[in-house]
Amino acid sequence: MYRLLVPLFFFLTSCVGSTQPEQKVVSGYYPSWRWYERGKLVQSASIDYSKYDILVYAFLNVEADGSLSLLDPWADKPLLLGPINTAVAPADYKTAKDLGNPAYHKRGMRFSDFAHKHQTRFTVSVGGWAHSENFPTVAADPAKRARFAAECARIVELYNLDGIDIDWEYPGTEERGGTPADRQNFTLLLRQTRENLRALKPKMRRDLLLTIACGAAPKNMVNIDWAQVHPLVDGIHLMSYSFFGQWDRVSNHNAPLFPPINATQLGYSCVEAVQNLLDFGVPAAKIDLGLAFYGRSHLTAGPAGLHVATSGLPDSIAFPRSAATPQYYEIAARLAEGVYKYHWDDAALVPYLAGIEGIPSFVSFDDERSIALKAQFAQSRNLRGVVIWDITGDYLETAPGSKTIAGTPLAA
């Protein structure tokens, strides 16, 4: 399966004289909160599964004792287990953060059921930016590690998963509660989880995936023992985005493919992040290049533009839902209003928007052209494939509020 990359594969093979493209993997994250945030436009029954090989449901929480819990049971339970049968479920079941009970749900309507009908694998991600605080202590304690690994195996059976994704942001990062011991303990946590998944294979009758999300900044990569880690995992989801944002004093790109001319930090581009992993000895066939289906907005101190002084704030007027990180569908809607001018950066190979008529708003994002170039790059470096954060970002409606999907231009 190489759905997103098919046109690029044909282009590349015509250039290099190859006759058959290699099989690549297109993975995509589905955050639970998008279910209701977008009015249930993008849900298990409406997703175009033909565009993805693997869907990763985000996120489950890691408790201090190593057990797992739901972050948002109101969404998680009906998505992961199917619609709730209110006639038999306890009154507080919708809000309780336990992992759920299949007896309280309608059969055959789990997220994984829909995915498997379309030959798409379905996994669950544990952790995430806001829910990684317990990883250091869990990974450091043998009993807690064992409980964590057992819980991962438990949810594979409970939700009929094809594997587990671990999104620890980030091992060894002091400001995120990490310590130098995380380097070894992360390896131990992955090894225990891998062993439990391997033991479950006969019962599930299939190989079970273990993937990790990896910060793309050099300072996050150095805290992982890659020689020990990469043999334990099937894929490394490189978060090659959020390189720059409203926190920077100068406007710059969210996810430049190549280093911007005015890059303020080394290693902050997709090409550099991939090369850093390769330099650590990670096989290209284990790396998934991250694709951002969202952008970042800045309010500029003067006229809007690239590499100009910013106020340090996102544009909450243009993007009231999520000022700092508007999704592609929101950016496309604003662009259509005619208040932004579209630009292309020939150095970084990504687009950006600048407000017109004195509007001090800069928006960095990816469009069809830049996504295609990134997919082409992934193929040219023989990477495992690409991974999308997040798939709901480019689901466009036929009209605002119509609840009818018009298309998915970035994943087309």
Side-chain angles (χ1 to χ4, degrees), residues 283-300:
K286 291 287 182 80
I287 301 172
D288 295 304
L289 180 69
L291 303 180
F293 281 19
Y294 72 96
R296 286 196 172 271
S297 75
H298 309 241
L299 287 177
T300 53

Side-chain angles (χ1 to χ4, degrees), residues 293-372:
F293 281 19
Y294 72 96
R296 286 196 172 271
S297 75
H298 309 241
L299 287 177
T300 53
L306 177 65
H307 307 322
V308 303
T310 71
S311 68
L313 298 171
D315 189 343
S316 58
I317 295 176
F319 305 106
R321 182 198 62 82
S322 182
T325 55
Q327 290 190 284
Y328 175 79
Y329 76 90
E330 296 170 301
I331 297 169
R334 289 300 184 191
L335 180 59
E337 293 172 357
V339 296
Y340 286 99
K341 184 177 181 180
Y342 177 96
H343 299 268
W344 179 264
D345 186 337
D346 286 325
L349 296 186
V350 286
Y352 64 93
L353 304 181
I356 63 174
E357 299 179 357
I359 299 174
S361 181
F362 168 86
V363 182
S364 169
F365 71 113
D366 275 279
D367 62 5
E368 295 96 323
R369 181 182 179 188
S370 62
I371 290 293

Side-chain angles (χ1 to χ4, degrees), residues 249-288:
R249 290 179 292 179
V250 175
S251 59
N252 218 324
H253 299 294
N254 176 46
L257 177 54
F258 286 92
I261 290 176
N262 194 30
T264 54
Q265 299 184 80
L266 293 176
Y268 276 49
S269 71
C270 296
V271 168
E272 292 170 287
V274 167
Q275 189 58 53
N276 286 338
L277 274 183
L278 295 173
D279 290 344
F280 278 117
V282 176
K286 291 287 182 80
I287 301 172
D288 295 304

Side-chain angles (χ1 to χ4, degrees), residues 90-150:
D92 63 348
Y93 181 70
K94 290 183 179 180
T95 57
K97 292 189 175 183
D98 63 283
L99 296 175
N101 185 339
Y104 301 147
H105 295 260
K106 297 178 182 178
R107 295 180 178 274
M109 300 182 70
R110 296 171 297 188
F111 211 138
S112 60
D113 294 329
F114 286 98
H116 291 160
K117 287 177 184 177
H118 295 85
Q119 292 76 54
T120 298
R121 287 178 287 181
F122 185 74
T123 70
V124 161
S125 185
V126 180
W129 173 257
H131 309 284
S132 290
E133 66 272 12
N134 289 324
F135 271 122
T137 54
V138 169
D141 185 291
K144 293 179 179 180
R145 282 199 305 268
R147 184 176 293 114
F148 175 86

Side-chain angles (χ1 to χ4, degrees), residues 78-96:
L79 285 169
L80 291 172
L81 288 169
I84 297 173
N85 186 346
T86 56
V88 297
D92 63 348
Y93 181 70
K94 290 183 179 180
T95 57

